[in-house]
Amino acid sequence: MHRHISISSHREYRFYQGPFSSCVANGIQAVNFLGDRFLRKYRPSAGIEDLYTHSVNSAFSPQEAFLVTGAPHASAYYPRDFAWFYPDVLDPETIMDSEDAVRRVRLLEKSVRLMLEAVRADVVTTTIVPAGGDRYIGVNYFSLPSDTLLGILAGLEQIMRADQRASSFLAMAQGAHAGRLLLAEYREDLKKAILQLAGALQPFDDNGLTALLCDVNAPRSAATDTRAERRRFVTNACVYATFVHGIRMGVIDRIELEGVLGRALPQYKTELLGLFGKHGYIRHSLDSGSEPGASSVALDFVNVQEGFWDLGNESERALFAATTDLILGEPRFRIRDMSLFLVSADNPQTKMIHKIAAPAYQGRSCWPTFNVEFADRMLEYDEFSGTDTYRSCARDILRDIRTATETHGGYQELLSERGLKYRTWAYQSAVAHSWFPRFLSVWRRAFGTPLLNRN
């Protein structure tokens, strides 16, 4: 099926879905991924300043139609990324100059508008694949999404709040105005989608502990989308974060949402924490046959910035600390001789295509950006607890990401368990240009000074 969407600029976006369209999208993606694997030219190691400048010029080029990670993902758009991987695109301290600010605001606005058009067309999928001109295919890799709406809301909120950070860039105020207009234009479409998500939740009972889950009977996709487990913490944490963003932005009324959920929002969260945290730490999946302890946790428990965790809450801090300590205390989680952590101690259950093409893609591999979020939550824990429990560890993580970035010639999507570029016969990790600003923002939080000298 396809839907025609007219927009104020008199362009028409066409969104397609269905088996035939998915086959076309899969073909486009296969050619792009395999072509990148064998044709990409490597950038030599360099200093952090030069690498960042190159990344910014690549990620926010005026020629880009949409904010993307970088090859091999650059042929498709991933709405979740606006929550997970580039929440600090408009952080003034990461912006090079006024021209860079203009490019970022314009690109973010274009990106958010396209995602909102997809929502209006009822194409809320994990991935949007361009199919020529203004034609786009909505396809789900590799199951229905749990965090697509979260990414769309986060992207819209970032542009709306662009003028709330101290900045001399005029583009920020212009972006914020554009963001508010977008919210007014698409508020009802977003509200409808959020209510549909809330209405799709199902009750799950684990020996008397009950909660509403998005993935009781089938996996739901999140940033770690290749993991095929059901009843995952991260997918359900993303759904909760979606509701929080929607209420905060005025997209949906809290009372109306709670009426659909059949419980107050704090109770909904308490039930999730009781279910996944019943052993005193956050278990990654209730569908997993892993042994208790470190084998049953995953690094994506840190969730997104301003997402699930409220570390001002003492009981949540205790769960966060217990899960963090399991990861820090398990050697199998760590790259040898480095302070970087793998997604999980063991490779997870995955689809057959991933077993063949990239078996450790979201298991025994290291995602620098998940490590950045881990470090950021650690810093937040220390701030709320009034301690220095994790600050040194957070700084070590960030220092090692800097070293890996300089060594490998760019900010890596992921590293192997030996600290090398993750690469298989079919796949190699992207140089994630657009993820780089988030690293700079968290570095400033950890060390109190900017990573780069802008004088």
Side-chain angles (χ1 to χ4, degrees):
M1 67 176 179
H2 70 272
R3 296 178 175 87
H4 300 260
I5 302 293
S6 297
I7 60 175
S8 57
S9 63
H10 304 293
R11 292 172 60 189
E12 185 180 74
Y13 289 158
R14 299 184 180 185
F15 293 94
Y16 299 81
Q17 279 185 294
F20 177 75
S21 298
S22 294
C23 287
V24 173
N26 291 338
I28 293 172
Q29 289 291 81
V31 169
N32 185 63
F33 273 68
L34 289 173
D36 178 79
R37 171 65 181 86
F38 296 106
L39 299 178
R40 186 197 304 178
K41 295 180 180 179
Y42 291 99
R43 185 175 178 84
S45 59
I48 200 75
E49 298 254 4
D50 290 342
L51 292 172
Y52 186 72
T53 300
H54 173 72
S55 285
V56 165
N57 290 335
S58 298
F60 310 117
S61 166
Q63 282 70 51
E64 292 289 351
F66 194 96
L67 186 55
V68 297
T69 296
H73 305 286
S75 70
Y77 309 146
Y78 302 86
R80 66 164 54 100
D81 288 6
F82 290 80
W84 277 99
F85 302 138
Y86 21 83
D88 283 325
V89 165
L90 298 186
D91 178 355
E93 295 211 12
T94 74
I95 295 176
M96 306 278 291
D97 49 37
S98 58
E99 181 183 351
D100 183 26
V102 169
R103 289 185 302 166
R104 293 195 196 196
V105 168
R106 287 178 177 173
L107 186 57
L108 185 58
E109 181 186 352
K110 286 196 298 183
S111 302
V112 169
R113 179 176 285 278
L114 178 56
M115 293 189 295
L116 290 170
E117 292 289 346
V119 173
R120 177 165 289 178
D122 199 26
V123 180
V124 182
T125 54
T126 69
T127 313
I128 301 172
V129 179
D134 289 322
R135 295 176 174 85
Y136 298 90
I137 299 171
V139 62
N140 288 313
Y141 296 124
F142 293 88
S143 53
L144 293 173
S146 67
D147 54 358
T148 287
L149 278 176
L150 174 61
I152 295 169
L153 290 171
L156 177 57
E157 187 172 29
Q158 182 176 180
I159 194 168
M160 288 173 56
R161 294 165 61 181
D163 60 352
Q164 295 182 15
R165 288 173 162 173
S167 170
S168 60
F169 301 125
L170 178 61
M172 296 302 188
Q174 295 171 338
H177 177 68
R180 289 189 285 270
L181 293 177
L182 286 172
L183 176 60
E185 184 177 353
Y186 294 96
R187 188 192 310 270
E188 291 303 314
D189 303 294
L190 289 168
K191 177 181 176 179
K192 176 185 174 183
I194 292 172
L195 288 174
Q196 288 176 340
L197 177 62
L201 302 180
Q202 295 179 293
F204 177 72
D205 188 302
D206 183 16
N207 295 321
L209 288 172
T210 61
L212 290 176
L213 303 183
C214 69
D215 53 357
V216 171
N217 298 314
R220 292 290 287 252
S221 176
T224 40
D225 57 356
T226 67
R227 300 183 72 109
E229 305 105 330
R230 299 172 298 165
R231 305 159 193 166
R232 295 171 65 199
F233 173 76
V234 65
T235 53
N236 290 285
C238 285
V239 172
Y240 172 82
T242 301
F243 298 153
V244 171
H245 275 68
I247 293 169
R248 183 170 67 214
M249 295 169 65
V251 172
I252 189 167
D253 178 73
R254 178 171 180 158
I255 301 300
E256 184 177 6
L257 176 62
E258 291 179 339
V260 176
L261 296 175
R263 66 221 343 109
L265 201 61
Q267 180 186 349
Y268 167 55
K269 184 178 187 181
T270 297
E271 290 173 351
L272 288 176
L273 289 170
L275 188 63
F276 288 97
K278 68 177 183 179
H279 297 300
Y281 57 87
I282 295 297
R283 185 167 181 169
H284 168 68
S285 170
L286 306 180
D287 191 34
S288 172
S290 59
E291 295 294 323
S295 293
S296 65
V297 303
L299 193 62
D300 60 9
F301 90 98
V302 297
N303 200 249
V304 297
Q305 180 198 35
E306 297 185 8
F308 185 85
W309 290 101
D310 174 12
L311 295 180
N313 180 289
E314 187 176 354
S315 62
E316 289 193 37
R317 279 205 310 275
L319 276 173
F320 175 85
T323 314
T324 295
D325 292 343
L326 279 175
I327 292 172
L328 299 184
E330 173 53 67
R332 290 182 301 146
F333 255 106
R334 192 185 298 251
I335 294 179
R336 185 175 179 179
D337 299 326
M338 299 181 76
S339 294
L340 294 179
F341 297 89
L342 309 180
V343 177
S344 56
D346 304 297
N347 284 330
Q349 176 186 349
T350 58
K351 303 284 187 181
M352 183 56 67
I353 186 174
H354 303 114
K355 294 182 189 299
I356 296 171
Y361 182 67
Q362 286 171 340
R364 289 196 57 76
S365 60
C366 168
W367 288 63
T369 190
F370 288 154
N371 277 262
V372 166
E373 296 308 316
F374 193 26
D376 193 50
R377 296 302 93 73
M378 288 179 176
L379 296 169
E380 191 174 357
Y381 176 95
D382 281 2
E383 289 171 9
F384 278 108
S385 65
T387 67
D388 245 355
T389 305
Y390 297 118
R391 181 170 298 275
S392 63
C393 182
R395 288 176 169 175
D396 288 343
I397 287 172
L398 298 172
R399 289 190 187 101
D400 279 350
I401 292 174
R402 173 180 180 169
T403 298
T405 300
E406 293 178 319
T407 300
H408 298 303
Y411 191 89
Q412 298 299 304
E413 177 196 16
L414 71 164
L415 304 170
S416 74
E417 61 182 300
R418 294 187 294 164
L420 305 175
K421 292 182 181 181
Y422 183 79
R423 189 161 52 212
T424 71
W425 68 270
Y427 179 81
Q428 64 179 330
S429 71
V431 178
H433 296 306
S434 57
W435 300 3
F436 213 155
R438 173 65 176 154
F439 173 67
L440 264 64
S441 296
V442 178
W443 180 283
R444 174 61 183 260
R445 182 178 193 177
F447 293 97
T449 56
L451 173 62
L452 306 181
N453 182 7
R454 293 284 170 233
N455 295 327

